[in-house]
């Protein structure tokens, strides 16, 4: 770790590939699209995509256009699905780079069609129905008119409606079942309008793993490929997954007062470590676990009373357990959040090292 880095992320290529293969086997015959949002969950898009392409994976989900174009440079022949667009995003470039575009609103449909007319490049689109999560998507009462317009544009040669998709909440079996039914109804309406989507997709990590009826033709999986579990006490090992990223730092100072010894680490609020880390979160030093007892703006303190911990010792926050550290999921459960939020916050600025 360089002098300027506060944290070191060691990322296992083997774990990434093994996890992806485990997920792909689980969801087959549905295709796996690996999501690389938030810089591949802070694992680093270039290395993650290159590693997975070499292992035979050729479908990716990129939240935003900038990430999608980065993936295209790395994966010239892969399917790349992207679905969040800003007002000033250049859709002409998106069409020229043969990206699959998630279309969530009528205005976006018209915008894509205009770009297709301007460039002479037929747009590959996936139409989104809102099945209850209310995370974008066309509402059920306007869906028939939306797909009828899409059918017109497809007949005119502006677009190719390759897919229909949605998000589900993964909140309960009953709510997800209702969402799946609404999705199937939306597909039927689209077919009656003259559309015949080849790629129907609804499920992300948890739903794709647990429910065969949620898989359809493709699943969009992010967290599980990185060995990040869904929470609620379920860890990665229960799913047959291995955390790909181990995050560490070093002891910068030892304080001794009132019979206690506290080791300081250079990670605090501004680096994404919040005060709720004192609620049962531990770190590993020399194979032993020690609790975090306070978090300040730029540092945290660990109670190492009775140990021989010294300045310069490596401190492992979370990972695959090789250094006796907790998993990311233990951290997330203790802090009342989800694993992907924790890793993105804490590892995004870490110095990265790739192994095996």
């Amino acid at each position: 770790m360089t002098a300027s880095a506060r944290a070191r992320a060691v990322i296992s290529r083997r774990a990434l590939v093994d996890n992806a293969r485990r997920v792909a086997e689980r969801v087959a015959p549905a295709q796996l699209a690996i999501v690389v949002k938030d810089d591949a969950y802070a694992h680093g898009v270039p290395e993650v995509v290159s590693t997975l392409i070499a292992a035979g994976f050729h479908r990716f989900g990129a939240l935003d256009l900038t990430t999608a174009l980065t993936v295209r440079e790395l994966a010239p022949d892969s399917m790349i699905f992207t679905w969040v667009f800003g007002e000033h995003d250049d859709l002409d470039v998106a069409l020229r780079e043969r990206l699959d575009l998630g279309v969530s609103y009528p205005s976006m449909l018209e915008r894509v069609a205009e770009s297709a007319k301007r460039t002479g490049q037929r747009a590959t689109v996936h139409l989104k129905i809102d099945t209850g999560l209310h995370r974008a998507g066309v509402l059920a009462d306007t869906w028939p008119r939306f797909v009828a317009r899409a059918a017109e544009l497809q007949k005119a040669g502006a677009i190719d409606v390759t897919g229909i998709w949605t998000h589900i909440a993964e909140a309960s079996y009953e709510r997800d079942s209702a969402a799946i039914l609404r999705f199937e109804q939306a597909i039927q309406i689209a077919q009656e309008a003259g559309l015949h989507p080849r790629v129907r997709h609804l499920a992300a990590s948890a739903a794709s793993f647990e429910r065969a009826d949620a898989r359809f033709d493709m699943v969009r999986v992010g967290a599980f490929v990185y060995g990040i579990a869904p929470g609620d006490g379920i860890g990665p090992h229960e799913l047959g997954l291995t955390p790909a990223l181990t995050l560490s730092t070093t002891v910068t100072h030892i304080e001794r007062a009132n019979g206690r010894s506290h080791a300081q680490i250079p990670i605090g609020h501004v680096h994404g470590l919040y005060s709720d880390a004192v609620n049962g979160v531990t770190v590993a030093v020399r194979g032993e676990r020690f609790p975090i007892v306070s978090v300040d703006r730029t540092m945290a303190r660990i109670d190492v009373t009775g140990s021989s911990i010294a300045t310069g010792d490596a401190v492992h926050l979370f990972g695959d357990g090789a250094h006796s550290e907790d998993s990311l999921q233990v951290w997330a459960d203790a802090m009342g959040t989800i694993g992907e939020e924790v890793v993105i916050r804490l590892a995004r600025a870490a110095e990265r090292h790739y192994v095996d």
Side-chain angles (χ1 to χ4, degrees):
M1 187 162 57
T2 63
S4 61
R6 295 177 179 273
R8 182 175 190 263
V10 175
I11 300 160
S12 168
R13 298 186 188 93
R14 181 180 301 167
L16 288 169
V17 172
D18 287 350
N19 291 337
R21 286 175 175 161
R22 165 74 169 147
V23 174
E25 290 171 1
R26 178 81 173 189
V27 305
Q31 296 293 315
L32 169 62
I34 299 170
V35 177
V36 293
K37 67 178 184 179
D38 294 309
D39 197 16
Y41 295 75
H43 291 60
V45 164
E47 193 70 32
V48 167
V49 171
S50 297
T51 296
L52 293 171
I53 288 173
F57 295 94
H58 295 285
R59 288 176 178 258
F60 297 94
L63 184 69
D64 59 279
L65 182 56
T66 298
T67 301
L69 294 174
T70 299
V71 177
R72 174 57 79 212
E73 291 181 4
L74 299 161
D77 300 318
S78 293
M79 189 284 288
I80 302 167
F81 174 63
T82 182
W83 63 95
V84 175
F85 304 98
E87 181 180 351
H88 301 293
D89 279 341
D90 189 345
L91 296 186
D92 292 5
V93 172
L95 268 58
R96 284 195 293 268
E97 294 298 331
R98 300 168 289 108
L99 301 179
D100 283 41
L101 308 182
V103 176
S104 302
Y105 305 102
S107 59
M108 183 63 187
L109 182 63
E110 299 301 331
R111 188 177 161 195
V112 170
E114 290 170 4
S115 183
K117 181 179 179 181
R118 187 166 52 247
T119 62
Q121 181 78 40
R122 193 174 193 182
T124 301
V125 302
H126 300 231
L127 307 179
K128 186 177 186 185
I129 175 74
D130 179 2
T131 54
L133 182 58
H134 306 306
R135 186 188 294 176
V138 175
L139 297 175
D141 59 351
T142 58
W143 179 254
R145 186 164 64 252
F146 179 67
V147 295
R149 175 57 176 159
E152 290 177 1
L153 292 170
Q154 177 165 278
K155 187 175 182 180
I159 67 172
D160 176 17
V161 181
T162 294
I164 291 179
W165 72 296
T166 192
H167 280 100
I168 60 172
E170 298 181 345
S172 71
Y173 188 89
E174 292 74 20
R175 287 179 62 184
D176 287 354
S177 294
I180 292 168
L181 177 59
R182 287 191 285 269
F183 185 59
E184 291 171 336
Q185 292 169 341
I187 293 169
Q188 180 64 35
I189 292 170
Q191 291 173 336
E192 291 170 356
L195 300 175
H196 300 284
R198 302 180 294 280
V199 186
R200 304 159 300 164
H201 50 113
L202 167 146
S205 288
S208 68
F209 225 69
E210 295 172 3
R211 299 190 59 156
D213 62 346
R215 293 171 188 153
F216 293 91
D217 304 303
M218 186 176 80
V219 298
R220 310 178 306 271
V221 176
F224 281 17
V225 171
Y226 306 89
I228 302 171
D232 298 323
I234 301 173
H237 296 297
E238 284 83 355
L239 300 169
L241 306 172
T242 301
L245 185 151
T246 296
L247 189 69
S248 65
T249 185
T250 58
V251 173
T252 57
H253 183 65
I254 302 290
E255 299 174 336
R256 293 183 174 86
N258 302 318
R260 310 301 298 177
S261 296
H262 290 160
Q264 293 182 4
I265 60 172
I267 300 177
H269 294 149
V270 298
H271 312 109
L273 183 63
Y274 299 159
S275 295
D276 50 11
V278 302
N279 299 324
V281 173
T282 67
V283 298
V285 188
R286 298 186 184 179
E288 295 184 58
R289 292 181 183 172
F290 300 93
I292 295 177
V293 294
S294 70
V295 183
D296 295 335
R297 184 174 181 275
T298 59
M299 68 175 180
R301 293 177 178 83
I302 306 157
D303 191 337
V304 295
T305 303
S307 75
S308 59
I309 302 304
T311 299
D313 279 349
V315 179
H316 291 87
L317 284 74
F318 50 76
D320 62 6
H323 305 275
S324 299
E325 75 278 7
D326 279 326
S327 72
L328 175 64
Q329 193 54 52
V330 171
W331 274 61
D333 290 341
M335 298 169 70
T337 185
I338 55 176
E340 62 187 75
E341 179 185 346
V342 176
V343 72
I344 291 168
R345 274 186 353 217
L346 294 179
R348 61 189 170 188
E351 180 182 279
R352 294 178 185 142
H353 297 263
Y354 297 90
V355 297
D356 54 50

